[in-house]
Amino acid sequence: MTMKQHSKNMPVRSMTMIQALRSAMDIMLERDSNVVVFGQDVGYFGGVFRCTEGLQAKYGTSRVFDAPISEGGIVGAAVGMGAYGLRPVVEIQFADYFYPASDQIVSEAARLRYRSVGEFIAPLTIRMPCGGGIYGGQTHSQSPEALFTHVSGLRTVMPSNPYDAKGLLIASIECDDPVIFLEPKRLYNGPFDGHHENPVVPWSKHPLGEVPEGYYTVPLESAAVFRPGAALTVITYGTMVFVCEAAARETGIDAEIIDLRSIWPLDLHTIVESVKKTGRCVVVHEATRTSGFGAELVALVQEHCFYHLESPIQRVAGWDTPYPHAQEWNYFPGPARVGAAFKRALED
Amino acid sequence: MRHTSHLRLHVPEPSGRPGRETDFSYLHLSPAGEVRRPPVDVLPVDTSDLAYSLIRVLDDQGRALGPWAPKADPELLRKGLRAMLKTRIFDARMLIAQRQKKMSFYMQCLGEEAIGTAHGLALSDGDMCFPSYRQQGLLMVRDVPLVDLICQLLSNERDPLKGRQLPVLYSVRKAGFFSVSGNLATQFIQAVGWGMASAIKGDTRIASGWIGDGATAESDFHTALTFAHVYRAPVILNVVNNQWAISTFQALAGGESTTFAARGVGCGIASLRVDGNDFLAVYAASQWAIERARNNLGPTLIEWVTYRGGPHSTSDDPSKYRPADDWEKFPLGDPIPRLKQHLIAIGAWSEEEHEETRKQLEAEIIAAQKEAERYGSLATGHTFSAAMMFEDVYKGVPEHLRVQRRQLLEE
């Protein structure tokens, strides 16, 4: 289970991931007058997912404001603001719509410190709701993390629960490097283990929905051992953390589940220690398989744990197709597919 | 209307090609002194006529005419002429150095010197320019040490950018010169963001963004105009229309039968179209736009009409796509003789002073080049250490880059 970082006497209350993210932005708007929050529908309305509700009323329109529907414009303006000395936290409404901002993210935000030898920096946080499992179809379900992890100069982060969401978002906002902050929207209101036939369980029923009200951080580049185990190591992040937990429960396999939290740069130490202990490894993500981030994870484990491996590294991912609508549950890697991979990893 | 049975694709062509003279009537020039000068709080919609005419101050005799004549101190104009000369001589020397293989690449701004220098003189310390790769005039007028610039061009051991960037892609924060990117137009919206930041903080500084005619076709041109208009950002949006984007004529960027200034009006931005080879007009129009921005009156778009006198870069041969003597025929002439003529006419300059200044600048640039070459070059192998390439990717050096740096040093 996630190691809690905050001081013990801080008041704690039950929050959804949405409330936790909002709390992180609220705290950073309060603490640092250079923090500004903007994006499409982010201001008056409070965001299509309610993540910024009330912030404009509290901090004013010059700190929290609506933006034109222009992803390239939102990120490009944020790069200019960062060069001035602000700390912009911008939102792309869905990760599926970051593509028009690719040039500003890859060619500008990621490279600015390097190409100017630190004269100018881009301390941005770009929030993007991502992931499937919500009947979002092709353009409301994608998991584009591999497109960011391939870019030198970017940090890519994805929380799996309200506690981490708040701590990681505060750490990301404070970080002087550009951070792509991916939020699995399937987890906004409650954990989801892939059993779409079951009623949704709210975060108020989960211990990780207990979130400190004040300031705390979850450090970047630190993975969490979400479920300790001895039989095999599962490397995953986002919604799949809960799917993997369900797969372990249903197969009875004592899987050690690592929630990466920071996808890249990552916490290699935690991965290597675990795989050396278990000798078996399964990598799981929602994103499509070929050249997905799982390929990098498989390569790293192979390189660092080769002599400890007792079976081939297994990979469970979305199929190499666009994300379909009607075939949602045939596409989304659920507990059955993950459990089957666990079993394959235990063969030999 | 004649009925045609088949559709035809229209692909714009320049009137001039190698061996065939350009017909410059497409420029729609206005006589010097003729275009009105509205108050700085003019409504953007009321600048429509200005976006389709051409603000000019200097006539063919070098007289300053009309409402845009800036009444500038002759000392400032002398400084401007000196900065233009410095820019041109610097470019010429660096072109030679590139041909001598001392540096890998260079880009001149031949013929466009008035724009960066006059605009730079009109701005204040603390204002931030977001230049493209052809605004070295901004650096020259702000007296950035030439040795630093040449070290960047040589990628040597004293290169302020540690050999990471192509020659010409300078970054000089203290001179208000934002890091130049190879990706076109990206800096245009960033300038708007910088201006928005200044407004958010209740500052008094403004931003100045730069783009060429060709790059206006990039999406960031449109995002910049939209954001500048929406948030009334304190920014000047400079479009340097030098008629050419490498080999493509400005009509192919969307300039046929219209102007780039007109785009500004369409987006609700006060817009001017100005003779870019007329130092006085550049200075006056810049002052006007700066006053608007500084007084919260919003952004201004300025199309500077000029001509790219030289090749696009040291990798380009314009004789393959345009007439060899095109620049000589360009109706707006050369900015340096035009200002020189004016200064001589008002008794603030002379042929002797011109020649002496030229020689002095030549000597200054040669001395700077010699000093810079003492610190080596890419050609001599005296560059920043390879281990430095892993720094500044992030604020610190993450583990994977420490491992890669170790691998490089061990192999």
Side-chain angles (χ1 to χ4, degrees), chain A residues 33-34 66-67 70 73 76-77 80-81 84 103-104 107-108 113-115 117 119-120 153-154 176-177 264, chain B residues 161 164-165 171-173 179 181 183 186 189-190 193-194 201 203 205 220 223 231 389 391-392 394-395:
Chain A
S33 63
N34 288 324
D66 288 311
S70 168
M81 290 179 189
Y84 176 94
D103 196 24
Q104 287 290 343
S107 311
E108 300 295 319
R113 177 189 292 277
Y114 191 71
R115 75 170 198 242
V117 187
E119 273 203 326
F120 298 95
L154 293 181
D176 285 339
D177 301 321
W264 190 262
Chain B
L161 304 184
R164 291 180 190 153
Q165 269 286 41
S171 178
V172 192
R173 188 185 175 112
S179 158
S181 169
N183 294 70
T186 51
I189 175 68
Q190 291 164 3
W194 197 98
K201 298 302 277 186
D203 200 346
R205 297 179 289 161
D220 281 338
T223 66
Y231 299 109
M389 91 174 132
E391 289 174 12
D392 301 312
Y394 298 90
K395 186 178 189 181

Side-chain angles (χ1 to χ4, degrees), chain A:
Chain A
M1 197 54 74
T2 298
M3 188 81 93
K4 301 231 169 168
Q5 315 275 343
H6 63 283
S7 80
K8 285 188 182 62
N9 44 21
M10 192 183 285
V12 167
R13 97 186 145 80
S14 173
M15 294 189 201
T16 65
M17 191 185 278
I18 289 166
Q19 291 166 327
L21 293 164
R22 185 193 306 148
S23 173
M25 286 184 270
D26 189 358
I27 282 167
M28 290 312 295
L29 281 160
E30 180 89 53
R31 283 172 73 98
D32 183 350
S33 63
N34 288 324
V35 169
V36 290
V37 172
F38 64 101
Q40 189 189 337
D41 300 306
V42 157
Y44 183 86
F45 180 57
V48 293
F49 293 109
R50 318 313 299 152
C51 289
T52 55
E53 190 171 29
L55 296 179
Q56 184 179 77
K58 187 168 175 186
Y59 296 98
T61 52
S62 67
R63 302 283 307 283
V64 181
F65 51 91
D66 288 311
I69 306 175
S70 168
E71 292 77 11
I74 289 168
V75 177
V79 171
M81 290 179 189
Y84 176 94
L86 298 191
R87 202 168 277 278
V89 182
V90 300
E91 180 181 302
I92 303 292
Q93 199 159 77
F94 287 87
D96 314 60
Y97 302 135
F98 92 85
Y99 304 103
S102 303
D103 196 24
Q104 287 290 343
I105 294 172
V106 176
S107 311
E108 300 295 319
R111 311 268 196 259
L112 188 54
R113 177 189 292 277
Y114 191 71
R115 75 170 198 242
S116 72
V117 187
E119 273 203 326
F120 298 95
I121 62 169
L124 332 174
T125 303
I126 307 176
R127 295 180 40 242
M128 302 182 197
C130 71
I134 57 149
Y135 283 108
Q138 295 185 29
T139 56
H140 299 81
S141 308
Q142 296 170 33
S143 297
E145 64 271 15
L147 296 172
F148 302 114
T149 56
H150 190 57
V151 179
S152 51
L154 293 181
R155 290 180 179 275
T156 303
V157 172
M158 193 191 295
S160 68
N161 59 75
Y163 183 89
D164 283 353
K166 178 170 173 179
L168 284 169
L169 183 54
I170 291 176
S172 298
I173 295 170
E174 288 186 325
C175 178
D176 285 339
D177 301 321
V179 179
I180 305 296
F181 195 88
L182 293 161
E183 303 166 3
K185 56 189 159 311
R186 177 70 233 206
L187 300 180
Y188 268 164
N189 291 304
F192 177 66
D193 63 7
H195 284 292
H196 53 95
E197 67 282 4
N198 295 342
V200 177
V201 181
W203 279 116
S204 58
K205 300 238 163 64
H206 196 283
L208 289 170
E210 293 289 300
V211 179
E213 290 186 345
Y215 170 92
Y216 70 95
T217 60
V218 171
L220 305 182
E221 290 181 64
S222 80
V225 176
F226 189 83
R227 180 197 187 280
L232 55 83
T233 298
V234 184
I235 312 173
T236 190
Y237 45 85
T239 308
M240 302 315 290
V241 168
F242 296 97
V243 175
C244 293
E245 191 188 37
R249 194 170 57 237
E250 289 159 21
T251 56
I253 292 169
D254 186 20
E256 176 149 298
I257 299 171
I258 296 174
D259 177 359
L260 279 183
R261 304 198 291 196
S262 286
I263 302 180
W264 190 262
L266 52 59
D267 174 2
L268 186 62
H269 179 77
T270 299
I271 295 171
V272 171
E273 286 307 298
S274 176
V275 178
K276 282 185 175 173
K277 180 180 76 179
T278 63
R280 297 170 196 273
C281 182
V282 180
V283 170
V284 184
H285 59 56
E286 279 186 67
T288 50
R289 179 182 172 98
T290 303
S291 303
F293 188 65
E296 187 62 41
L297 290 169
V298 169
L300 284 170
V301 170
Q302 190 278 149
E303 183 183 345
H304 292 275
C305 309
F306 184 75
Y307 295 105
H308 294 81
L309 285 172
E310 290 169 43
S311 69
I313 306 162
Q314 299 293 323
R315 195 157 38 130
V316 186
W319 308 120
D320 281 340
T321 69
Y323 206 112
H325 182 63
Q327 300 80 6
E328 175 97 73
W329 306 113
N330 298 108
Y331 182 90
F332 183 92
R337 252 166 75 197
V338 173
F342 286 5
K343 288 175 194 159
R344 285 200 302 277
L346 290 180
E347 287 165 9
D348 305 324

